[in-house]
Amino acid sequence: RLTHAATMYLPRAFAETDLAALDGLIEAHPFVTLISTDADGSPFASHLPVLYRRDGDAVLIEGHWAKPNPQSKHSGEMLMIVHGSHAYVSPGVYPDKEAAARVPTWNYAVAHLRGRLDVYHDEAALGDLVDRMSQRFEATVGRDWRFEMAREDHRSQLRGIVGFRFAPDRIDLKFKLNQNHPAANQLAVRDDMATRDDPDARGIAALMRAGDIDLPIRNHD
């Protein structure tokens, strides 16, 4: 899978290699940024909801564009960014803030996935995609709208979209959670995040709990 240079600065202290971390990240944050280049080499970005599944090391991400979106006609390698929780870290929470002259930072979780997309226009495949997406996201808001392929007024809407399947050949996971700090600092940050009235900060606290931050610390690179 690691066949190309990384697309972001990724110190070893913050690199995550377990794809289960990607499972959780995209389950919680399924609205992604997809970046391509047009015929002139200019970057172009779309912001899209996606469906995700994984079988071992094989990852498949599915979604669609509105048909007028020019990205649906771009070719070549694309970069998908999954944005997770993020939060400001004040040096004031570190027990060694004075002795080590600590400075502010930002904790976050993000994934970069790179590869080529398979684009399709088939009505049956698009209908199946929209039906599965509606089931996935309607459940998150307690609703039950369903796409009905048998209805012409629903089926006609498929003419306005283009589907894609994305099986990335490179995945980089960056979980920046103060791993380059002493355990006492990490625990102080986690506890501070957990008490904030901010879902992102509480999300960072949950990631720090899941990461067993009071284990021996990896060296910063």
Side-chain angles (χ1 to χ4, degrees):
R1 180 179 300 280
L2 302 181
T3 56
H4 305 285
T7 59
M8 62 178 160
Y9 174 53
L10 188 56
R12 282 183 296 179
F14 307 138
E16 176 59 68
T17 58
D18 186 350
L19 286 179
L22 177 63
D23 300 345
L25 187 68
I26 202 164
E27 171 69 21
H29 305 277
F31 193 73
V32 306
T33 300
L34 181 62
I35 301 170
S36 61
T37 54
D38 64 19
D40 296 325
S42 299
F44 187 94
S46 295
H47 307 281
L48 306 161
V50 294
L51 295 178
Y52 167 88
R53 68 175 183 264
R54 178 172 66 88
D55 182 8
D57 288 339
V59 166
L60 179 66
I61 298 174
E62 301 173 274
H64 64 79
W65 301 277
K67 186 168 286 186
N69 188 329
Q71 192 172 63
S72 66
K73 298 179 176 62
H74 292 178
S75 60
E77 194 169 63
M78 298 191 187
L79 171 66
M80 181 177 288
I81 301 176
V82 185
H83 307 270
S85 296
H86 60 93
Y88 173 75
V89 180
S90 167
V93 304
Y94 298 134
D96 67 352
K97 58 184 176 295
E98 294 299 333
R102 296 298 184 185
V103 295
T105 190
W106 209 277
N107 279 1
Y108 58 92
V110 68
H112 282 200
L113 302 90
R114 194 160 70 180
R116 294 174 182 269
L117 276 67
D118 173 30
V119 176
Y120 61 92
H121 303 265
D122 177 74
E123 182 182 82
L126 289 171
D128 175 67
L129 173 66
V130 173
D131 182 48
R132 287 184 290 118
M133 292 188 81
S134 67
Q135 292 183 62
R136 162 72 171 87
F137 295 115
E138 284 284 306
T140 66
V141 294
R143 301 293 182 179
D144 59 0
W145 182 89
R146 290 289 300 273
F147 175 80
E148 299 177 48
M149 192 68 169
R151 288 179 51 171
E152 170 58 27
D153 57 347
H154 278 199
R155 195 167 61 250
S156 66
Q157 303 293 327
L158 299 175
R159 293 193 288 270
I161 63 174
V162 177
F164 67 80
R165 302 180 185 94
F166 181 46
D169 56 29
R170 166 101 195 194
I171 297 172
D172 291 304
L173 295 168
K174 186 174 185 178
F175 281 56
K176 183 178 177 294
L177 304 172
N178 287 109
Q179 298 98 319
N180 56 324
H181 278 250
N185 284 2
Q186 296 183 56
L187 291 166
V189 170
R190 185 192 70 182
D191 291 346
D192 176 70
M193 296 282 182
T195 62
R196 292 190 198 175
D197 186 20
D198 173 10
D200 267 316
R202 294 195 296 273
I204 290 295
L207 290 174
M208 296 180 81
R209 283 193 298 271
D212 293 323
I213 64 168
D214 45 357
L215 293 175
I217 308 303
R218 290 174 284 183
N219 290 329
H220 180 61
D221 187 321

